[in-house]
Amino acid sequence: MPQILPPNANTFARWTIIGGVIFVILLVISLTAFARISRNRVGVPVAQPVGFQHSLHAGELGIDCRYCHNVVEVSAYSHVPPTEVCMTCHSQIRVGTPQLAAVYESWETGTPIAWNRVHKLADFVYFNHSAHINSGIGCNHCHGRVDQMSAIWKAEPMTMGWCLECHRNPARYVRPREEVFNLAYEYPANQLEIGAQLVEAYNINADALANCSICHR
Amino acid sequence: MAHAVPAATAEPELYGLVAEFETPEALLEAANAAREEGYTKMDAYTPFPVTGLDEALGMSNTRLGWVVLIMGLLGGASAFFMQWFAQVVHYPLNIGGRPLNAWPNYIVITFEVTVLLSAFTAGLFMLARNGLPRPYHPIFNTPNFEAATRDRFFLCIEASDPEFDLGLTARFLEKLGPVRVSEVEA
């Protein structure tokens, strides 16, 4: 029985091993790269039944965030405004334009507009808007420059690692309360100093912020 | 690689001379004699480990033990570091009121990773050093070589040995009392 396999079987065996190792390395690299690129659909605009433009209402017209999202300072859940809020202006303004058809239909039939949600957290995550607003976390820190968005997309990935980035060191991101609704706010050069004072002033218990029960209650 | 030949050579290259023995004792004697004769590039092929054969062939101690020791220590250190980093630095949590650096609890995983990395190192370093898997080997060209895994013992003196001389080496091997001596092509 001399040789069962030809000499190039050695080459085949070697390249099978090398190829296997290369395959595993490429798999790991591409999966991490994919996760990084997709980043939980950051920057992907979501289609809506009404082509509502924040860039027009909040940007050009300068309407304050709280005109429509009016419970954000007092409630855990910052709601989407009902049709009535649209109709406070649009019963008089641009009546009959086709872009607003879904709003009038909703008004006449009493059926709410079926907005598509963009920032969806899992139901086992309890997020409280008012807690953040009153602790000096600005709208644009999490939602981006909404006043420049014609359609809404995620500015941040809304993953737990991203949440914890701030909960572990809130002094880096806390701003004065009166600047919370200023979407153009930029953190000053001595943010860490100011932030530390504000954390003290707003009674933020930084040590407990990363505990499980803060969000997963 | 050690005995590469110019591509133009038509003559099949000689891998070495192989002597076939019936008992491990005869092989051991032959290996000792070959070493004393000054041969260095030789190898023995047996169905089972023959005690003393590595010394008879003049093989130095393997470094496998040291590599396993180093990788085992590295595995243990990294396992301990991983747990310490996760618990103390990266995400300190109060779990059951234990101190953050509750090192007795880290020992189990430290031990297991030490064993895991040692075992992986032992297996993979062994394969890397002895060149397995190697489906084609010149020694398989030896007549009756399938008996090497059953009941025969082979001693091969390779042609790349500086002391190797086809006539002299063949006569030397014949004197050791083998069943047969064969010329084996690469």
Side-chain angles (χ1 to χ4, degrees):
Chain A
M1 75 124 230
Q3 300 282 354
I4 295 173
L5 291 165
N8 57 15
N10 288 347
T11 321
F12 181 79
R14 191 175 320 121
W15 280 103
T16 308
I17 294 167
I18 295 172
V21 172
I22 291 175
F23 176 77
V24 170
I25 291 172
L26 284 181
L27 195 73
V28 169
I29 290 175
S30 52
L31 284 179
T32 26
F34 177 74
R36 200 158 285 189
I37 292 165
S38 78
R39 275 185 90 225
N40 213 2
R41 299 187 73 73
V42 168
V44 180
V46 176
Q48 301 290 353
V50 183
F52 179 85
Q53 295 187 5
H54 278 87
S55 55
L56 174 63
H57 294 83
E60 274 178 54
L61 302 177
I63 300 174
D64 190 90
C65 305
R66 289 162 290 183
Y67 184 81
C68 302
H69 305 286
N70 60 353
V71 294
V72 68
E73 288 171 295
V74 292
S75 160
Y77 184 72
S78 175
H79 68 151
V80 177
T83 307
E84 283 80 354
V85 175
C86 305
M87 289 302 285
T88 49
C89 296
H90 285 292
S91 59
Q92 304 288 320
I93 296 169
R94 302 209 177 233
V95 180
T97 47
Q99 292 94 322
L100 290 166
V103 177
Y104 295 124
E105 198 196 319
S106 161
W107 177 252
E108 278 153 22
T109 60
T111 318
I113 302 169
W115 296 102
N116 289 320
R117 203 166 169 186
V118 180
H119 298 84
K120 276 187 261 188
L121 293 184
D123 285 346
F124 49 76
V125 183
Y126 173 83
F127 180 80
N128 190 331
H129 267 96
S130 63
H132 290 81
I133 295 293
N134 293 314
S135 301
I137 296 297
C139 302
N140 62 310
H141 179 69
C142 306
H143 293 293
R145 289 302 299 271
V146 174
D147 57 334
Q148 294 172 356
M149 292 181 190
S150 50
I152 287 297
W153 58 79
K154 273 191 222 174
E156 300 289 346
M158 307 281 155
T159 51
M160 183 173 158
W162 171 81
C163 294
L164 284 172
E165 212 173 285
C166 185
H167 274 213
R168 282 180 178 141
N169 191 4
R172 271 167 70 194
Y173 303 112
V174 171
R175 65 178 79 168
R177 261 176 204 162
E178 54 274 19
E179 297 286 354
V180 163
F181 297 97
N182 173 12
L183 296 181
Y185 183 82
E186 276 174 21
Y187 294 106
N190 57 342
Q191 166 63 27
L192 281 180
E193 236 171 274
I194 292 176
Q197 289 165 11
L198 291 175
V199 165
E200 189 78 16
Y202 296 163
N203 222 354
I204 299 170
N205 183 3
D207 289 336
L209 279 186
N211 285 351
C212 308
S213 56
I214 294 290
C215 306
H216 303 287
R217 23 178 109 169
Chain B
M1 283 296 272
H3 42 81
V5 99
T9 317
E11 191 88 353
E13 197 197 343
L14 190 68
Y15 175 70
L17 282 165
V18 180
E20 180 181 335
F21 297 93
E22 275 188 314
T23 62
E25 290 80 16
L27 174 74
L28 212 51
E29 250 172 61
N32 273 318
R35 191 190 69 245
E36 276 153 24
E37 194 74 6
Y39 292 109
T40 46
K41 292 201 77 74
M42 55 179 175
D43 211 344
Y45 303 86
T46 61
F48 50 81
V50 175
T51 311
L53 192 56
D54 46 349
E55 284 112 39
L57 290 169
M59 285 177 170
S60 51
N61 271 338
T62 167
R63 289 191 305 273
L64 182 61
W66 287 106
V67 176
V68 170
L69 174 70
I70 289 165
M71 290 304 285
L73 291 175
L74 207 66
S78 54
F80 194 95
F81 174 78
M82 179 185 76
Q83 297 172 85
W84 172 83
F85 181 76
Q87 292 294 328
V88 180
V89 180
H90 194 54
Y91 203 154
L93 280 175
N94 178 354
I95 303 169
R98 280 182 280 272
L100 291 177
N101 188 20
W103 63 267
N105 296 333
Y106 302 169
I107 296 302
V108 179
I109 287 172
T110 304
F111 172 74
E112 292 293 350
V113 176
T114 307
V115 172
L116 182 78
L117 217 69
S118 305
F120 267 120
T121 306
L124 293 177
F125 188 77
M126 179 270 290
L127 288 179
R129 292 303 295 164
N130 65 14
L132 290 177
R134 191 171 178 185
Y136 179 93
H137 194 283
I139 195 71
F140 297 148
N141 292 327
T142 311
N144 194 32
F145 192 73
E146 65 268 31
T149 56
R150 293 205 289 268
D151 56 356
R152 288 298 161 91
F153 302 82
F154 292 82
L155 179 69
C156 174
I157 296 181
E158 289 165 27
S160 53
D161 193 302
E163 298 285 313
F164 186 85
D165 179 284
L166 189 53
L168 287 175
T169 307
R171 244 171 289 143
F172 166 73
L173 283 174
E174 287 289 0
K175 274 192 295 184
L176 299 171
V179 179
R180 90 186 85 185
V181 174
S182 4
E183 289 179 29
V184 174
E185 286 167 10

